[in-house]
Amino acid sequence: MSAGIRIALLYAGSILGGLLIGGASAWLIILGIAYKDQGGTEAWRVYSASAATERNPYALGALSLRALLPMRAEEARYFMRITDEAGRLLTEGCSYILAGGPQPARWWSMTLYRRNAGFASNDDAAHSIDAYSVPGEGDQGFIVHISPTRPDAGHWISSRGAGEFELMLRLYGPSAPLPLPPSVRRVSCHGDEQ
Amino acid sequence: MNGLSMNAIPARLRQWLQGVGAKHVGIAFGLLAAAALVMHLTVIFWLPRHANWQVWQFLSGEGQLVNAWFHSPRQTPDNAGDIKAAPEIGYSTCAIDLAQGPVRLRVNAWTPYTSLALYDATGFNFFVLNDTQMDQGFAEIVLGAEGAADRDVYRIASPTRRAVAIVRRLIPTDEGWAEVAAVRAGDVCGVIPPEEARS
């Protein structure tokens, strides 16, 4: 192999290697930011990043992967829960009691979604609760049933058609960085009585 | 080739590099560094612009609905797909293009909560306000014409020619969805006529 060809191959390989290194390093940094644990309480984890308030290209790149056009942290904060009090994944096959109280925000809501997807596939019109629907009384909190069938009485979030599901707590106009975490206690599962 | 541990390089590669010469190896390292820098910068600047361009295209109906509000219906399993939409939020969006001049935005306040957020072409949130700041029951913004505020009219320069405005209104009751339609109908997103802009 002549010296000229070796030099050409060396230059071409260096350029190609540089492109790979540059691209990979950028993606690794952005992915690291995008999927970094954002904190929260033990069970209710911060769901996604808030809007960037500084023009940081890495942060903007990360946001473009996780939460397009999000709200600023002072306007809204989102928290996600995927397990019950015993650490078991939330599932349509079980019934739960969700218990909590007023949240540190102008307004709040809690919505049930399929794991890593959207609303549960049902027409029960019971996908969520909020500060209006379960106002509580004074310092008393709320009790909500989460189950695939409507209970005889009380507030209800339908898990019918959800499979494994997750709960998102939204705080609008938050007055504190963390929620007052509602509890999710499993009551029974299909087949328990057998 | 000083400064480089030759023992770290496999023998055959070492022999090959020695045949090329130190000068060209140095140039090669320079090319590698330059290529890495260019690609790194390209990725971090391209990614948010590309992602938000796709959003702008979607919100504008591939350019068919520009500088005009689109008021989304209530989010349900039938229309939300796999997006984790908030069922209590009434979204209104305006895909903005300043190519024809400044754009006026008017947003009517709605109880219990209204917010307006403006994003540039990279997704950067460069302006936000909510109903607690709408003393007259509405907010008016002139985008693309920087200047002093005048009677609660915010005059803002957009960092980019294209931008997105999103209004979020909390609508926690079924009756609210019927009532908010009249409020939304009074919102404005449109190019300011040249004669008005000159006045």
Side-chain angles (χ1 to χ4, degrees), chain A residues 16 23 31 51-52 64 68 88 144 182 188:
Chain A
L16 185 61
L31 288 172
S64 69
L68 287 166
R88 296 165 292 203
V144 179
S188 64

Side-chain angles (χ1 to χ4, degrees), chain A residues 8 73 107 124:
Chain A
W107 198 86
D124 295 332

Side-chain angles (χ1 to χ4, degrees), chain B residues 97-122:
Chain B
D97 189 338
L98 299 172
Q100 296 180 356
V103 167
R104 168 177 287 114
L105 298 167
R106 176 185 167 117
V107 175
N108 292 315
W110 165 264
T111 301
Y113 176 87
T114 304
S115 73
L116 165 69
L118 298 177
Y119 305 84
D120 71 10
T122 67

Side-chain angles (χ1 to χ4, degrees), chain A residues 145-170:
Chain A
H145 299 268
I146 301 177
S147 57
T149 56
R150 186 185 294 273
D152 294 334
H155 300 294
W156 176 53
I157 294 177
S158 174
S159 59
R160 185 168 67 92
E164 284 189 348
F165 62 86
E166 48 202 13
L167 297 170
M168 181 182 288
L169 172 62
R170 291 181 167 91

Side-chain angles (χ1 to χ4, degrees), chain A residues 1 6-7 9-11 14-15 17-19 21-23 25-27 29-30 47 51-55 57-58 60-61 64-65 68-72 75 80 106-107 109 111 113-114 116-120 122 127-128 130 132 166 168 170 172, chain B residues 15-17 19-20 24-25 27-28 31-32 35-36 39-40 43-44 47-48 51-52 55 59 75-77 80-89 112-113 115 119-120 122-128 130-132 159 164 166 168 170 172-173:
Chain A
M1 186 184 294
R6 289 192 195 191
I7 292 169
L9 285 175
L10 177 63
Y11 288 175
S14 297
I15 292 172
L19 293 174
I21 291 170
S25 61
W27 275 107
I29 293 173
I30 289 171
Y47 172 62
T53 53
E54 292 181 356
R55 195 175 289 282
Y58 297 103
L60 291 173
S64 69
L65 295 178
L68 287 166
L69 309 183
M71 299 177 74
R72 290 188 183 180
E75 293 296 323
M80 187 72 80
R106 286 178 60 188
W107 198 86
S109 70
T111 306
Y113 298 102
R114 291 172 287 133
N116 301 315
F119 293 117
N122 66 60
H127 299 286
S128 66
D130 56 61
Y132 274 14
E166 48 202 13
M168 181 182 288
R170 291 181 167 91
Y172 296 95
Chain B
Q15 188 179 21
W16 195 86
L17 289 174
V20 171
H24 292 289
V25 172
I27 292 173
L31 288 172
L32 184 146
M39 179 56 83
H40 190 96
V43 170
I44 66 173
L47 179 60
N52 285 281
V55 170
L59 294 176
Q75 299 296 292
T76 67
D82 281 339
I83 297 174
K84 288 188 180 350
E88 68 274 2
I89 294 289
Y113 176 87
S115 73
Y119 305 84
D120 71 10
T122 67
F124 178 67
N125 180 203
F126 65 92
F127 181 81
V128 65
N130 63 45
D131 53 292
T132 63
V164 171
I166 299 182
R168 296 172 171 95
L170 265 172
T173 64

Side-chain angles (χ1 to χ4, degrees), chain A residues 29-165:
Chain A
I29 293 173
I30 289 171
L31 288 172
I33 296 172
Y35 294 98
K36 176 184 170 186
D37 185 6
Q38 306 275 346
T41 69
E42 184 176 342
W44 295 91
R45 308 302 296 171
V46 173
Y47 172 62
S48 65
S50 300
T53 53
E54 292 181 356
R55 195 175 289 282
N56 179 319
Y58 297 103
L60 291 173
L63 276 177
S64 69
L65 295 178
R66 290 299 309 278
L68 287 166
L69 309 183
M71 299 177 74
R72 290 188 183 180
E74 62 265 29
E75 293 296 323
R77 293 181 69 83
Y78 309 143
F79 301 87
M80 187 72 80
R81 179 168 190 153
I82 63 173
T83 59
D84 63 16
E85 295 300 296
R88 296 165 292 203
L89 290 174
L90 300 173
T91 176
E92 175 184 358
C94 299
S95 297
Y96 304 87
I97 292 294
L98 168 70
Q103 296 296 320
R106 286 178 60 188
W107 198 86
W108 61 268
S109 70
M110 202 171 316
T111 306
L112 184 150
Y113 298 102
R114 291 172 287 133
R115 279 292 303 278
N116 301 315
F119 293 117
S121 302
N122 66 60
D123 55 0
D124 295 332
H127 299 286
S128 66
I129 58 166
D130 56 61
Y132 274 14
S133 64
V134 290
E137 294 182 3
D139 293 333
Q140 294 183 11
F142 56 80
I143 299 290
V144 179
H145 299 268
I146 301 177
S147 57
T149 56
R150 186 185 294 273
D152 294 334
H155 300 294
W156 176 53
I157 294 177
S158 174
S159 59
R160 185 168 67 92
E164 284 189 348
F165 62 86

